């Protein structure tokens, strides 16, 4: 008898806090259906930022989890008899793998029990203990205390690889009491994103739904975000905080306490951690209890509770993973195998949801990259020299990063560990000191070119993997780097239009400037004085008709500087400044917030003057593709009424790592590469660096397409910064004649075919500047009347 099919996809999602837009209902239904098609389902969902993507994910994925729980009531009540052989062969896999929560005790009571309180405990070896969850990570002080009896030989046995909750958790607050373990809830939903701020946004959206009180949620963060030991926190960098945390745990003290009972005398070894925030296990229990009394909490909430109680929220949150239904955590904690083992994450039969998935391939490969600089291979020798000669270099530690001996040794250890990867997806790159007095360190680096094998560790275990993002196009770039073995038809893909009406978006391909000069910002033409002058003339003109803020993206910091210097010399900046205050994206990420605040204040101050002011009408921000502004900043409303993309930002062909990736994807035979020493390269043919354009010409179609996809992925990220909500409106100008081509002379595909659907369907190609000017004038006139 075949197993019964899973229930059909839902069309209604009652947890959604308001009436959803049609595209939100479509998104939720597609996601629910994808989860139901597991095991090992893989789906990519693209929903433009501002369309309620996060809320749609929550309401569909968690509804699926609850429906699976409701679909197995007999198992939840423990009333299903065991089949012969211990298992019912007619039961579908998704039910067999599901472990529902035990029935709630005291069901007759009027008060509702919080979801964390509904979890049962189990005893191991006569006492309530926890099962092992992987590596100890230097946390031996959290193991069950060893018991030595005066009347017995040897020690009391305890299961190897098993450890108790770090903060205790038994019914008594005494540290000597047995620890209790809560049953693991399966399946779980793991939600991961790149930054802590994105995780906090997810928790805020979760609190808007009923799931915040129905499901047990725990949010994991880094030590840097959750450490409350002031002496450790003041170290600043994540590496130093991690090192000091582990050092404190190893610097623990042991003492023996006499115990009596059952006509026996003995003593128990008591171990206390070197970190004061972990010495009192009863406080860890109190932390978990207080967290359990609340609904979903983000990282800042956990840190605040930890400070109030005086116990470590980092380890307190880790202890709650086992019994959680929903785990919210950063990329590295989920995607790195060693981190999963350390945290005790069990992906088996669970759902993994990866947000901001356009960053996934880069993030995953970089996690396995390792680099050792010359100042780290030589750091010990330098220190010995300075010590023996009495000559000190006060700036040595500052010039070469953190200057920690542990950090340098860890870098070497990471590199050696990288060499153990048993696959052909890695390369070793050696860069020597460059001639001409450059201060750059020489280095040896292991780079992971393709994340297929490491990502398969997640997809093989999980019931389903959902990759979501505001801009996933072109998805072929993601497929080639994460699951090249799958055909495009094997991947479930969903893309929707934006919630804003068509009249609120105006994408235009701009092939030429006001004087009729054809725009060509290819590598060979972009530095032409006439090209830079024509671009300046174009921006001077549109600055008069575009209200509020204009963001202009350039392909690199160097090119942005070249253009700005030329405009300063020619007076173009002065002309633009008569209508827009001009700002530039700084190279240092530390200064980005300050510049953005000044940019925003300039726009707001101009708008407050009223429409009768005909002088300065806003601000213009010169930004860089791949910089901080292009990735993490939202230019909603007046912050980005117009986004200008200058040229096609193809990556530099001089990037050795990129070229090795293209050779790998394009089945281009290669060996190790040496960068920065042309003389050595000529002597060592097998390690010679071939010019990037030569590699692109010789690589297969997949390698060339990958190169194109990287470019358009960057374009999509930049132009998607402008529209952020249903009442927003903006123009998007793609300034280069290549955007209007249907094909390329080099055989490359048409760039606009790789634009997001919601932009591509509304794209207009201006035949000349006069048409572009007219379209912009009409667009902002209409939207000013509407909004």
């Amino acid at each position: 008898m075949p197993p019964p099919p899973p229930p059909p996809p839902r069309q209604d999602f009652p947890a959604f806090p308001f009436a959803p837009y049609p595209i939100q209902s479509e998104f939720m239904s597609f996601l629910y259906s994808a989860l139901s098609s597991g095991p090992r389902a893989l789906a990519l969902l693209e929903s433009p930022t501002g369309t309620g993507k996060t809320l749609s994910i929550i309401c569909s994925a968690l509804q699926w989890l609850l429906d699976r729980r409701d679909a197995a009531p007999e198992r939840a009540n423990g009333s299903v008899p065991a089949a012969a052989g211990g298992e019912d062969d007619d039961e579908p896999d998704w039910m067999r793998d599901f472990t529902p929560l035990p029935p709630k005790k005291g069901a007759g009571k009027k008060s509702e029990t919080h979801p964390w309180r509904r979890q049962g405990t189990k005893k191991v070896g006569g006492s309530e203990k926890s099962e092992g969850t992987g590596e100890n990570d230097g946390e031996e002080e959290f193991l069950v205390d060893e018991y030595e009896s005066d009347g017995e030989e040897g020690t009391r046995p305890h299961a190897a690889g098993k450890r108790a909750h770090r903060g205790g958790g038994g019914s008594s607050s005494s540290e000597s009491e047995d620890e209790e373990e809560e049953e693991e809830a399966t399946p779980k939903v793991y939600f991961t994103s790149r930054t802590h701020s994105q995780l906090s946004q997810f928790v805020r959206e979760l609190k808007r739904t009923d799931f915040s009180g129905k499901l047990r949620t725990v949010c994991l963060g880094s030590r840097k975000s959750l450490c409350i030991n002031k002496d450790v926190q003041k170290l600043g960098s994540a590496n130093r905080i991690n090192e000091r945390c582990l050092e404190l745990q190893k610097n623990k003290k042991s003492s023996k306490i006499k115990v009596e009972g059952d006509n026996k005398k003995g003593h128990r070894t008591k171990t206390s951690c070197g970190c004061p925030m972990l010495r009192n296990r009863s406080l860890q229990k109190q932390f978990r209890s207080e967290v359990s009394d609340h609904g979903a909490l983000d990282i800042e909430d956990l840190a605040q509770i930890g400070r109030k109680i005086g116990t470590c929220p980092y380890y307190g949150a880790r202890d709650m993973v086992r019994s959680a239904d929903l785990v919210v955590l950063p990329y590295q904690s989920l995607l790195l195998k060693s981190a999963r083992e350390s945290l005790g994450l069990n992906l088996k039969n669970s759902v993994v949801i990866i947000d901001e998935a356009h960053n996934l391939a880069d993030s995953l490969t970089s996690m396995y990259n390792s680099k050792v600089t010359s100042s780290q291979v030589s750091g010990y020798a330098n220190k010995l020299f300075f010590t023996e000669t009495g000559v000190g270099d006060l700036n040595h530690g500052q010039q070469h990063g953190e200057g920690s001996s542990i950090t340098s040794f860890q870098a070497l250890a990471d590199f050696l560990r990288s060499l153990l990867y048993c696959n052909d997806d890695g390369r070793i790159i050696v860069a020597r000191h460059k001639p001409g007095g450059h201060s750059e360190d020489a280095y040896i680096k292991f780079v992971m070119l393709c994340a297929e094998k490491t990502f398969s560790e997640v997809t093989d275990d999980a019931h389903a993997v959902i990759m979501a993002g505001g801009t996933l196009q072109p998805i072929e770039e993601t497929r080639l780097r994460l699951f090249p073995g799958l055909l495009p038809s094997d991947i479930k893909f969903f893309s929707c239009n934006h919630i804003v009406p068509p009249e609120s978006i105006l994408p235009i391909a701009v092939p030429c400037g006001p004087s009729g000069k054809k725009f060509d910002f290819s590598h060979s033409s972009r530095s032409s004085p006439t090209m830079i002058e024509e671009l300046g003339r174009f921006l001077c003109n549109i600055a008069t008709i575009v209200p509020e803020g204009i963001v202009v993206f350039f392909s690199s910091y160097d090119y942005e500087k070249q253009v700005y210097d030329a405009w300063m010399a020619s007076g173009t900046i002065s002309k633009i400044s008569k209508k827009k205050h001009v700002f530039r994206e700084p190279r240092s990420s530390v200064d980005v917030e300050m510049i953005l605040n000044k940019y925003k204040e300039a726009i707001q101050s101009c708008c407050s003057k009223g429409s009768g002011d005909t002088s300065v009408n806003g601000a213009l921000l010169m930004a860089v593709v791949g910089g901080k502004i292009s990735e993490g900043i939202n230019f909603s409303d007046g912050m980005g009424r117009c986004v200008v993309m200058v040229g096609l930002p193809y990556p530099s062909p001089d990037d050795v790592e990129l070229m090795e990736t293209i050779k790998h994807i394009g089945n281009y035979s290669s060996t190790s590469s040496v960068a920065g020493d042309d003389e050595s390269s000529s002597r060592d043919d097998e390690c010679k660096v071939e010019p990037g354009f030569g590699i692109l010409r010789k690589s297969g179609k997949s390698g060339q397409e990958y190169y194109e996809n990287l470019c358009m992925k960057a374009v999509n990220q930049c132009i998607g910064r402008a529209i952020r909500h249903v009442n927003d409106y903006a123009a998007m100008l793609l300034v280069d004649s290549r955007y209007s081509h249907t094909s390329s002379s080099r055989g490359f595909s048409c760039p606009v075919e790789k634009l997001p659907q919601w932009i591509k369907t509304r794209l207009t190609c201006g035949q000349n500047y006069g048409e572009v000017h007219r379209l912009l004038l009409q667009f902002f006139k209409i939207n000013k009347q509407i909004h």
Side-chain angles (χ1 to χ4, degrees), residues 500-508 542 545-549 637 640-643 722-723 726-733 758 762 764 770-787:
V500 297
E503 59 269 19
S504 296
I505 303 174
L506 180 63
I508 309 176
I542 69 169
I545 56 176
V546 175
E548 303 174 285
D637 301 319
R641 288 300 179 211
C642 179
V643 176
I723 301 292
V726 65
N727 294 316
D728 207 354
Y729 63 96
M732 305 158 191
L733 307 182
W758 63 278
R762 306 175 190 184
T764 299
E771 183 179 358
V772 173
H773 190 95
R774 178 183 59 80
L775 289 171
L776 287 172
L777 198 64
Q778 183 180 17
F779 174 77
F780 287 111
K781 181 179 180 180
I782 292 175
N783 278 281
K784 184 178 180 180
Q785 296 172 349
I786 295 175
H787 299 93

Side-chain angles (χ1 to χ4, degrees), residues 368-617:
Y368 289 87
N369 291 351
S370 56
K371 179 179 178 181
V372 180
T373 65
S374 60
S375 61
Q376 291 171 329
V377 176
S378 64
Y380 296 102
N382 290 338
K383 185 174 182 179
L384 181 62
F385 172 77
F386 296 143
T387 302
E388 292 180 347
T389 61
V391 178
D393 186 353
L394 296 178
N395 295 323
H396 178 75
Q398 298 172 354
Q399 289 175 350
H400 302 293
E402 299 164 2
S404 166
S405 59
I406 298 180
T407 300
S408 298
F409 185 80
Q410 186 64 50
L412 177 61
D414 289 342
F415 179 79
L416 295 176
R417 190 180 297 113
S418 299
L419 302 182
L420 299 177
Y421 295 140
C422 298
N423 60 62
D424 58 355
D425 294 338
R427 296 290 184 274
I428 296 176
I429 294 178
V430 179
R432 298 185 174 94
H433 282 294
K434 294 184 178 179
H438 292 283
S439 60
E440 299 176 8
D441 251 348
Y443 63 84
I444 180 170
K445 183 177 183 180
F446 174 88
V447 294
M448 183 71 77
L449 303 180
C450 178
E452 177 187 10
K453 293 181 177 64
T454 53
F455 190 57
S456 66
E457 295 171 355
V458 175
T459 56
D460 288 348
D461 275 352
H463 171 82
V465 174
I466 305 297
M467 299 169 59
T471 305
L472 296 182
Q473 298 278 17
I475 64 170
E476 185 64 9
E477 185 263 344
T478 300
R479 187 189 72 83
L480 287 174
R481 297 184 69 187
L482 293 178
F483 27 84
L486 291 180
L487 296 174
S489 58
D490 296 331
I491 304 167
K492 299 176 177 63
F493 179 67
F494 173 86
S495 181
C496 64
N497 282 319
H498 215 293
I499 56 176
V500 297
E503 59 269 19
S504 296
I505 303 174
L506 180 63
I508 309 176
V510 184
C512 57
S515 66
K517 175 76 174 177
K518 181 180 178 182
F519 280 134
D520 179 9
F521 292 98
S522 60
H523 189 270
S524 59
S525 304
R526 67 184 184 185
S527 297
S528 164
T530 56
M531 192 62 56
I532 294 176
E533 181 182 0
E534 187 74 357
L535 177 63
R537 190 178 293 114
F538 171 74
L539 289 177
C540 285
N541 285 357
I542 69 169
T544 63
I545 56 176
V546 175
E548 303 174 285
I550 299 177
V551 185
V552 184
F553 284 102
F554 295 87
S555 57
S556 67
Y557 286 103
D558 289 340
Y559 186 58
E560 184 272 342
K561 183 179 185 302
Q562 180 184 0
V563 171
Y564 181 82
D565 291 344
W567 286 351
M568 282 293 292
S570 65
T572 300
I573 292 294
S574 297
K575 294 178 182 178
I576 295 176
S577 298
K578 292 179 180 179
K579 282 295 181 182
K580 304 283 186 188
H581 296 291
V582 178
F583 298 90
R584 301 173 67 194
E585 177 178 354
R587 285 179 180 263
S588 172
S589 59
V590 177
D591 300 323
V592 168
E593 186 174 357
M594 177 190 68
I595 294 297
L596 285 175
N597 287 334
K598 290 183 178 180
Y599 171 71
K600 184 176 182 179
E601 290 170 3
I603 294 173
Q604 291 175 339
S605 63
C606 294
C607 294
S608 63
K609 294 179 181 178
S611 57
D613 192 340
T614 57
S615 57
V616 178
N617 64 357

